[in-house]
């Protein structure tokens, strides 16, 4: 999208057309609606408005109902922070008494929106004039105060009363970037900012050894999906090195150098949330729920303790029904004896393809079952389990 297209979309005619498309989209196909609208509007504007409508529909997954008032480009939407995560970050900033923030590469302004809504004074900069126009339009559309200008993170001066937020691009012309060396702005700038009160959004797969000294790394999941990691600068004075946060419950866990013990299976199996695993806090969670690991190299916790709202959100819980044979022939006989016909297989640490195993078993019973296949003390083991309600997917 170029600036001329942005001007057209943001103008009265573009807004009128977009509203018309939104009202008619559920009852008309793109082809029929586009053909009809091109009789009244220019083909270029119709194409741009249709694309914007589809982006708003797609953006609902990240921004909820606000998406219908916002403006996007495909790349900027893909790179933007989902609103639930941005709101969590803004709430942490408010708790730290932050009053001003500058977003160094703000895209379409997702983080600015969350911070401004929380009462933080915001400004943003971005190299792309189109994204700058759209970020300003998004703040305006949502009735929020803030200013976005064209600028370069490498040369932008951060005010003494401002916290800097930076989300280096993790994609170039060849696709997604998995190395810190390929980030733009460069990693050196990020690490320099992190010596003070700054926040950097990074890939969830960042190696623990790449996290600068004195910085807190927070891994965040939302509705069970690991979505980001962020680094909180040394200037905030956090005593935590690693933190896992699970949304929407806001359950959180920080490191305390716990050491997990190993024991046989007890009443429950707990699969830690991916944020807990990535943060390296499986031992901390095990300690909190009076649990132990089944195997020293696999993230399954076993415990006799019932899940509580405090800790139940940090993983998925299963009540063990019975240990069953691991190998397919004996396993099939056992499941047939239990009249199981529909089977869900979860595996960790074993070389099994669940879909292939289910096909091989050829079960025809009337009952449903859930099977966990893993290792216990390096030996393949299978458990028939009853999944407990997914506490981590509900709010407190």
């Amino acid at each position: 999208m170029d600036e001329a297209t942005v001007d057209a979309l943001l103008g009265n005619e573009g807004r009128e057309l977009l509203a018309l498309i939104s009202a008619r989209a559920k009852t008309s196909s793109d082809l029929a609606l586009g053909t009809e609208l091109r009789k009244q509007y220019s083909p270029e504007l119709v194409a741009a408005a249709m694309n914007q409508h589809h982006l708003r529909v797609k953006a609902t997954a990240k921004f909820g109902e606000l998406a219908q008032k916002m403006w996007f480009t495909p790349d900027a939407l893909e790179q933007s922070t989902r609103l639930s995560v941005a709101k969590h970050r803004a709430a942490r900033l408010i708790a730290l008494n932050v009053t001003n923030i500058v977003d160094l590469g703000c895209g379409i302004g997702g983080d600015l929106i969350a911070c401004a809504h929380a009462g933080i004074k915001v400004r943003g900069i971005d190299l792309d004039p189109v994204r700058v126009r759209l970020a300003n339009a998004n703040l305006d559309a949502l009735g929020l105060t803030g200013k976005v200008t064209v600028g370069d993170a490498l040369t932008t001066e951060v005010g003494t009363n401002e916290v800097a937020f930076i989300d280096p691009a993790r994609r170039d012309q060849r696709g997604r970037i998995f190395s810190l060396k390929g980030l733009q702005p460069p990693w050196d700038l990020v690490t320099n900012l992190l010596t003070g009160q700054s926040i950097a959004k990074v890939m969830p797969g960042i190696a623990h050894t790449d996290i600068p000294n004195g910085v807190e790394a927070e891994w965040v999941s939302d509705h069970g999906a690991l979505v980001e990691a962020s680094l909180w600068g040394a200037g905030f004075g956090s005593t935590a090195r690693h933190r896992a946060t699970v949304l929407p419950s806001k359950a959180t866990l920080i490191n305390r150098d716990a050491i997990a013990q190993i024991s046989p299976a007890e009443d429950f199996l707990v699969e830690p949330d991916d944020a807990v695993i990535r943060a390296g806090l499986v031992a901390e969670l095990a300690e909190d729920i009076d649990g132990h690991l089944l195997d020293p190299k696999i993230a399954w916790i076993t415990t006799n303790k019932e899940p509580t709202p405090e800790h139940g959100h940090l993983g998925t819980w299963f009540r063990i029904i019975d240990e069953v044979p691991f190998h397919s022939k004996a396993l099939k006989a056992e499941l047939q004896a239990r009249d199981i016909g529909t089977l869900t297989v979860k595996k960790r640490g074993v070389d099994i393809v669940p879909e292939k195993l289910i096909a091989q078993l050829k079960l025809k019973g009337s009952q449903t079952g859930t099977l966990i296949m893993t290792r216990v003390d390096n030996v393949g083991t299978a458990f028939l389990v009853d999944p407990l309600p997914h506490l981590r997917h509900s709010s407190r």
Side-chain angles (χ1 to χ4, degrees):
M1 188 189 304
D2 57 24
E3 290 184 80
T5 303
V6 173
D7 287 338
L9 281 174
L10 294 177
N12 291 336
E13 190 177 39
R15 292 174 185 269
E16 174 188 86
L17 176 57
L18 192 52
L20 183 58
I21 292 170
S22 179
R24 297 278 303 280
K26 291 183 179 180
T27 58
S28 301
S29 68
D30 282 1
L31 179 60
L33 185 56
T35 300
E36 179 183 341
L37 293 174
R38 280 191 290 273
K39 296 176 182 178
Q40 184 179 353
Y41 301 93
S42 72
E44 294 78 14
L45 184 57
V46 170
M50 293 283 284
N51 184 54
Q52 193 62 216
H53 168 73
H54 289 304
L55 287 173
R56 285 181 170 183
V57 171
K58 184 177 180 181
T60 302
K62 280 190 173 183
F63 293 96
E65 62 183 16
L66 296 186
Q68 298 308 308
K69 298 180 180 180
M70 295 174 64
W71 305 87
F72 305 96
T73 67
D75 288 346
L77 172 57
E78 182 177 348
Q79 296 162 14
S80 62
T81 304
R82 63 176 68 190
L83 187 60
S84 57
V85 179
K87 282 185 173 181
H88 162 69
R89 184 162 29 246
R92 284 198 68 185
L93 288 168
I94 289 293
L96 291 167
N97 298 315
V98 172
T99 58
N100 296 68
I101 191 166
V102 55
D103 190 335
L104 304 175
C106 65
I108 50 87
D111 285 279
L112 294 178
I113 289 167
C115 287
H117 188 267
I120 299 171
K121 186 176 181 180
V122 303
R123 71 180 178 105
I125 66 103
D126 201 284
L127 282 170
D128 185 346
V130 168
R131 295 187 181 191
V132 168
R133 294 288 304 280
L134 296 182
N136 278 316
N138 286 334
L139 289 169
D140 183 63
L142 300 175
L144 299 170
T145 303
K147 182 65 175 176
V148 183
T149 56
V150 176
D152 189 340
L154 290 170
T155 57
T156 297
E157 184 174 343
V158 179
T160 55
N161 66 334
E162 286 182 319
V163 165
F165 174 73
I166 189 165
D167 178 7
R170 293 181 291 281
R171 185 175 289 276
D172 60 18
Q173 295 177 344
R174 295 172 294 179
R176 189 174 295 276
I177 295 171
F178 296 97
S179 169
L180 295 175
K181 294 179 180 178
L183 297 179
Q184 289 297 328
W187 184 240
D188 286 348
L189 171 66
V190 176
T191 54
N192 184 58
L193 287 170
L194 289 172
T195 60
Q197 288 195 340
S198 297
I199 306 164
K201 178 180 169 182
V202 295
M203 61 278 285
I206 185 172
H208 290 186
T209 53
D210 286 328
I211 298 168
N213 291 333
V215 168
E216 177 199 296
E218 179 183 26
W219 284 262
V220 181
S221 70
D222 189 18
H223 286 85
L226 182 65
V227 291
E228 76 164 55
S230 57
L231 306 180
W232 292 72
F236 289 114
S238 174
T239 57
R241 297 192 309 277
H242 296 168
R243 179 187 300 268
T245 299
V246 177
L247 301 177
S249 71
K250 302 179 184 177
T252 191
L253 190 64
I254 62 174
N255 68 283
R256 55 177 184 271
D257 299 322
I259 299 175
Q261 304 299 315
I262 312 299
S263 80
E266 298 182 305
D267 291 342
F268 299 95
L269 291 179
V270 183
E271 182 179 33
D273 185 271
D274 280 347
V276 173
I277 295 174
R278 286 284 191 174
L281 301 178
V282 173
E284 279 79 356
L285 177 57
E287 188 173 84
D288 283 348
I289 62 175
D290 296 336
H292 306 83
L293 297 184
L294 289 176
D295 186 280
K297 297 181 179 179
I298 300 178
W300 274 111
I301 301 171
T302 186
T303 181
N304 285 325
K305 188 175 182 179
E306 295 269 356
T308 65
E310 182 180 4
H311 299 111
H313 299 277
L314 293 165
T316 304
W317 291 62
F318 303 87
R319 188 188 304 274
I320 296 177
I321 298 172
D322 208 349
E323 182 177 339
V324 295
F326 183 82
H327 297 288
S328 58
K329 187 174 181 179
L331 176 61
K332 180 177 181 178
E334 178 69 26
L335 297 178
Q336 285 178 333
R338 294 174 182 266
D339 194 29
I340 291 175
T342 302
L343 185 67
T344 299
V345 177
K346 295 181 64 66
K347 64 104 174 183
R348 188 183 290 274
V350 291
D351 188 18
I352 289 171
V353 179
E355 295 79 9
K356 289 185 178 180
L357 175 63
I358 292 170
Q360 290 170 358
L361 293 173
K362 298 179 180 179
L363 300 173
K364 298 179 181 179
S366 62
Q367 303 298 310
T368 61
T370 299
L371 188 70
I372 290 175
M373 306 193 77
T374 186
R375 293 200 313 266
V376 175
D377 197 19
N378 208 34
V379 176
T381 307
F383 298 97
L384 193 63
V385 299
D386 181 22
L388 274 62
H390 285 242
L391 291 178
R392 69 178 181 182
H393 293 177
S394 59
S395 300
R396 287 183 177 176

